[in-house]
Amino acid sequence: MWKNILYALGTAGIFYLAVLYRSKALLTVCFAAVLLPFLFLFVLSKLRQRLKCELLFYSYPIANTGEYLVGLRVENPGKIYLPRVRVKIQVENAANGRKQWVKAEGKVSAEGSTELSGRLKEPEFGMWKAHCRAVRCYEWSNFLHLCAKVQDERQVMVFPAVYETNLKVGMRTRLFMSDGEQYDPYVSGDDPSEVLKLREYQKGDRLNRIHWKLSAKNDNLIVAELSMPVGCNVVIFLDGQPSAMGKKESRAYWEIVHSISQELLAQECAHYLVWRDSQYKELLCRKAVRNVEDLLDFWCEISPVRMEKGASAEAYKRVFPGEAYASWIVLNHSLALSCNGKPAASMKPDTVKEQMMELELFL
């Protein structure tokens, strides 16, 4: 605003001097100063129609910060560069409806593209919506601007940071016989409801594994290898109340949970995430995590606001009687981590990354 006022005063001053001294040169400069921004604006009006814009919203934070990049990718197919482009993006938490604004600006080269990015500070984890209606394009004197319509929307799941950690899943845990709805494609077991593969009879095979109908058709003995059910042999108890924690503690809590869960997935170890929700009183909630999509569903389902203390092995036995598991991990309200009933580490919010890298868990 001040630039426009100063520009107008400067132009008026040149016009006054041109009239006072009857100077054609100053009069020409005055008219050029008045007409040039409008000429630039006409060129800009043609250029803005060809701009291509795409919203950007990154799911993971910038390293060592709690900030997430939100912005706009602007592609300029024209042969004239844009000196200044500004955008204002509205982001909204899908769970609680809380809204924030993220501003970004920059310049776009001719026949090129650029990413205008701002930072969203410490958002709640979960589903977020980003919306942008228009982008401001300034002409080359930087006084006037035109708006180019964007009308783009994005839905993005905001995740906590993931840190490397030393977690080893032993054979006792991997081969633990637990019930499951899925079956291992490589390891044979004793479940007659699923057949892994058919092969010819070999010495030492059990007679009850012979597929007699197929054997009669093929004039040789055919053995059916049975699949092993894949259950969740590891249970992670989320025995905390994030709503009663400070921002740093709450963020560190979810970073620990997310890092351990991601590491278990990397080692192809299915597991349960178990927590207590005040909406269901004494009952426990649990989510089976076998792949990345399951972990995404977990972040959609959980409500940190309603989450309470009380997720423990004893409560699990009461709510899910008869269900066995090989190993368990507990993360309590004080960020104390234990594995199979033994203390593993006491985490600090400011040093979570370093502690996770030094941590060793044997399941």
Side-chain angles (χ1 to χ4, degrees):
M1 183 65 183
W2 282 107
K3 288 184 178 180
N4 293 346
I5 295 174
L6 291 175
Y7 188 81
L9 291 175
T11 304
I14 295 173
F15 180 75
Y16 174 77
L17 293 175
V19 173
L20 182 63
Y21 294 102
R22 298 181 180 179
S23 173
K24 293 182 178 179
L26 289 176
L27 195 60
T28 303
V29 171
C30 179
F31 278 109
V34 172
L35 296 177
L36 199 59
F38 293 98
L39 176 62
F40 288 158
L41 205 62
F42 174 76
V43 177
L44 182 63
S45 66
K46 301 296 182 182
L47 185 60
R48 67 165 179 168
Q49 298 175 2
R50 303 178 61 189
L51 295 179
K52 297 178 181 179
C53 302
E54 179 186 7
L55 267 177
L56 303 173
F57 198 154
Y58 293 90
S59 295
Y60 287 92
I62 306 169
N64 302 321
T65 70
E67 298 177 331
Y68 292 70
L69 287 178
V70 181
L72 190 74
R73 179 182 290 110
V74 182
E75 182 179 345
N76 176 20
K79 296 184 178 180
I80 304 175
Y81 89 102
L82 290 172
R84 187 185 179 199
V85 178
R86 295 183 65 189
V87 64
K88 191 177 181 181
I89 301 169
Q90 183 188 73
V91 291
E92 178 182 355
N93 186 289
N96 55 31
R98 187 176 301 167
K99 298 179 181 179
Q100 296 186 45
W101 291 94
V102 178
K103 298 179 181 179
E105 68 175 78
K107 61 181 180 181
V108 187
S109 61
E111 297 182 337
S113 63
T114 190
E115 292 184 3
L116 312 176
S117 59
R119 298 190 177 191
L120 181 62
K121 296 183 178 179
E122 299 182 348
E124 296 94 338
F125 304 128
M127 187 66 71
W128 283 76
K129 299 177 182 178
H131 178 73
C132 180
R133 295 182 179 178
V135 56
R136 285 187 176 185
C137 302
Y138 286 79
E139 41 82 26
W140 291 262
S141 63
N142 203 27
F143 291 110
L144 303 175
H145 69 269
L146 295 174
C147 291
K149 291 184 179 180
V150 178
Q151 295 297 340
D152 193 10
E153 292 184 354
R154 285 286 184 275
Q155 281 193 337
V156 174
M157 179 63 68
V158 172
F159 294 109
V162 177
Y163 304 126
E164 294 183 14
T165 188
N166 300 312
L167 191 151
K168 303 271 177 82
V169 181
M171 293 303 296
R172 182 185 69 87
T173 298
R174 289 188 181 278
L175 300 180
F176 185 82
M177 294 295 294
S178 61
D179 295 331
E181 300 176 354
Q182 299 183 4
Y183 294 85
D184 196 305
Y186 306 108
V187 181
S188 60
D190 297 309
D191 195 331
S193 63
E194 288 288 327
V195 176
L196 181 65
K197 64 180 179 180
L198 300 172
R199 59 172 175 81
E200 291 186 2
Y201 176 83
Q202 297 176 0
K203 187 177 180 180
D205 288 335
R206 296 180 184 179
L207 292 178
N208 62 353
R209 295 285 180 89
I210 296 176
H211 199 297
W212 295 107
K213 290 184 178 180
L214 286 177
S215 299
K217 290 181 180 180
N218 289 275
D219 296 329
N220 56 353
L221 295 178
I222 302 296
V223 174
E225 286 193 357
L226 306 180
S227 295
M228 175 180 284
V230 178
C232 296
N233 296 338
V234 177
V235 178
I236 303 176
F237 294 104
L238 310 182
D239 185 24
Q241 188 175 355
S243 61
M245 299 178 181
K247 283 187 177 181
K248 287 186 178 180
E249 288 77 10
S250 177
R251 180 168 296 277
Y253 190 91
W254 293 119
E255 288 173 349
I256 295 167
V257 172
H258 198 51
S259 298
I260 293 175
S261 184
Q262 287 278 28
E263 182 60 29
L264 287 172
L265 285 180
Q267 298 190 35
E268 298 181 351
C269 180
H271 54 282
Y272 278 123
L273 291 170
V274 179
W275 70 98
R276 185 180 174 189
D277 192 314
S278 60
Q279 183 178 355
Y280 303 104
K281 297 182 179 180
E282 297 300 321
L283 296 178
L284 294 180
C285 302
R286 72 175 181 179
K287 178 63 182 178
V289 180
R290 297 184 176 90
N291 49 51
V292 176
E293 288 74 18
D294 290 336
L295 192 55
L296 176 64
D297 291 340
F298 165 75
W299 288 110
C300 292
E301 292 175 12
I302 194 169
S303 174
V305 177
R306 299 197 308 263
M307 185 174 163
E308 293 183 346
K309 302 176 187 177
S312 63
E314 293 75 17
Y316 191 83
K317 289 179 182 178
R318 292 195 303 269
V319 179
F320 304 103
E323 293 201 17
Y325 49 86
S327 299
W328 71 98
I329 298 171
V330 180
L331 181 62
N332 68 15
H333 189 77
S334 302
L335 302 184
L337 194 67
S338 62
C339 180
N340 294 332
K342 298 179 181 179
S346 182
M347 297 294 184
K348 304 296 180 184
D350 296 327
T351 58
V352 170
K353 182 177 180 180
E354 292 76 11
Q355 287 184 283
M356 290 299 292
M357 293 180 68
E358 296 173 357
L359 180 67
E360 291 187 356
L361 294 177
F362 297 94
L363 303 177

